[in-house]
Amino acid sequence: MFDIIVVGGGPAGLTAAVYGLRNGKTVFVIEKSVFGGQIVNSPKVENIPGFDSISGDEFGDKMLEQAMNQGAEVTLESVIAVEKKTKDDGTSYFNVKTEEGGEHHGRTVILATGTTHRTLGLPGEEDLIGSGISFCAVCDGDFYRDKNVVMIGGGNSAFVESSLLVDIVGHLTILQDMPYFTADQKLQDQVLSTGKVETHVGTKILAYETEDADFGKKITGVRYEEAGVEKVAACDGVFLAVGLVPENDIFKGLADLDERGYFVPENIVSTKTPGVFVAGDCCAKTLRQVATACSDGAYAAIEACNFLSK
């Protein structure tokens, strides 16, 4: 029986672990994919307090090391349910079930589940992910060395990924649905000054163009509409950077969700279920950054500790 079970090993979850441990509580962190969260896909981060520049992967490692050095127990498992249970003496606890068959017991739970990559929902898209459609330039960029690539998106994430791709690919086309790019101007200047980038704004992506290949389907282009005219951007691969979505549905019995599926906390981190707290990018908020995720994690841990004290 742990004092605190943290679901999610990103900045919010690992900060919560550290704050819980420093308050003398036992903490168990469950992460389904990679400790550090989405930040590990960022090759260079310059807005984390205390670091002029650090890779997301290194920052994730440092967070995990800090939590484990202070006594956190961790596991890589996918949570499929959190159930509230009552002992014979009337005290309650939570049973956290995982896809791998694990059942972990905690007196409180902090849900710091983060977000996952949004897709466009186009026909055949799911089958092409990992086979022509990618999200991470660090992971997959070298597969497209000297080839033509399309980046769909125009925010900071799209331009961070593009800044890596322009050093690898032969030609990069950026398609944005809004009438302008929303990325920081510094990022835009860095990418657009290379002379290897073609941009189109105010577009609507219609379909992925494909042809048969030995392994199934191969992407040959992206069909889109611009100013009422249908066009095709020929390419060998596509990178998606069109936002993130939460995966909170399995917890809707414990915490309220808004229309987009984000947690709607009470008093910043509390939920309708006593003993369950939420933190980080999985919550409804106006700013999703490492700094705000860490803040949420700290607050959630202190509230969990206060709950346990009562």
Side-chain angles (χ1 to χ4, degrees):
M1 179 70 69
F2 292 92
D3 292 323
I4 302 172
I5 290 182
V6 180
V7 181
L14 291 174
T15 300
V18 168
Y19 272 71
L21 292 160
R22 289 181 62 82
N23 276 273
K25 309 305 181 187
T26 56
V27 178
F28 187 55
V29 184
I30 306 174
E31 166 57 41
K32 69 174 183 179
S33 179
V34 56
F35 285 98
Q38 295 286 348
I39 193 68
V40 302
N41 295 320
S42 298
K44 185 178 181 181
V45 187
E46 299 178 320
N47 61 354
I48 296 175
F51 300 97
D52 288 335
S53 177
I54 188 172
S55 73
D57 189 51
E58 183 183 359
F59 183 67
D61 286 344
K62 286 181 177 292
M63 288 191 296
L64 177 60
E65 181 181 8
Q66 181 186 26
M68 293 183 68
N69 284 345
Q70 296 200 31
E73 294 189 38
V74 303
T75 187
L76 281 171
E77 297 180 57
S78 297
V79 173
I80 56 174
V82 177
E83 302 170 338
K84 189 171 184 178
K85 300 286 187 178
T86 303
K87 295 181 181 180
D88 293 339
D89 62 5
T91 60
S92 62
Y93 70 97
F94 297 93
N95 183 28
V96 181
K97 295 184 176 182
T98 68
E99 196 173 81
E100 292 76 10
E103 292 196 23
H104 309 290
H105 299 160
R107 296 168 65 199
T108 63
V109 172
I110 296 175
L111 301 174
T113 51
T115 54
T116 189
H117 292 286
R118 184 187 299 277
T119 58
L120 299 176
L122 295 173
E125 186 173 52
E126 287 298 320
D127 293 334
L128 291 168
I129 292 174
S131 183
I133 295 177
S134 303
F135 302 98
C136 173
V138 172
C139 313
D140 301 329
D142 205 53
F143 292 124
Y144 302 101
R145 185 166 295 279
D146 300 323
K147 296 182 178 181
N148 294 336
V149 169
V150 168
M151 169 63 69
I152 300 177
N156 279 346
S157 294
F159 273 84
V160 167
E161 298 297 314
S162 295
S163 68
L164 298 171
L165 289 172
V166 291
D167 293 330
I168 300 171
V169 304
H171 183 77
L172 178 65
T173 302
I174 302 178
L175 304 178
Q176 162 75 313
D177 60 347
M178 297 179 67
Y180 52 85
F181 294 124
T182 57
D184 294 344
Q185 192 61 50
K186 182 179 178 181
L187 282 173
Q188 293 188 45
D189 293 342
Q190 181 182 346
V191 172
L192 301 181
S193 63
T194 62
K196 297 172 63 176
V197 182
E198 175 185 345
T199 64
H200 298 271
V201 297
T203 65
K204 179 181 179 182
I205 309 301
L206 303 175
Y208 299 109
E209 300 279 330
T210 62
E211 63 180 28
D212 292 331
D214 293 339
F215 51 83
K217 292 290 185 180
K218 174 186 176 183
I219 285 184
T220 59
V222 175
R223 183 152 46 91
Y224 65 98
E225 183 180 296
E226 182 180 15
V229 179
E230 282 196 21
K231 302 178 181 181
V232 174
C235 66
D236 301 289
V238 174
F239 283 77
L240 288 179
V242 292
L244 301 167
V245 292
E247 295 180 306
N248 296 333
D249 281 353
I250 63 173
F251 307 114
K252 61 185 178 183
L254 301 169
D256 292 329
L257 307 180
D258 68 9
E259 66 279 1
R260 296 184 300 160
Y262 287 97
F263 292 125
V264 182
E266 304 167 9
N267 189 28
I268 303 180
V269 296
S270 300
T271 70
K272 64 184 180 182
T273 305
V276 175
F277 306 90
V278 294
D281 287 2
C282 56
C283 301
K285 55 198 301 187
T286 58
L287 183 62
R288 292 183 173 86
Q289 295 287 307
V290 171
T292 61
C294 292
S295 172
D296 289 351
Y299 200 163
I302 295 301
E303 288 298 298
C305 291
N306 289 340
F307 176 85
L308 291 169
S309 297
K310 293 174 183 177

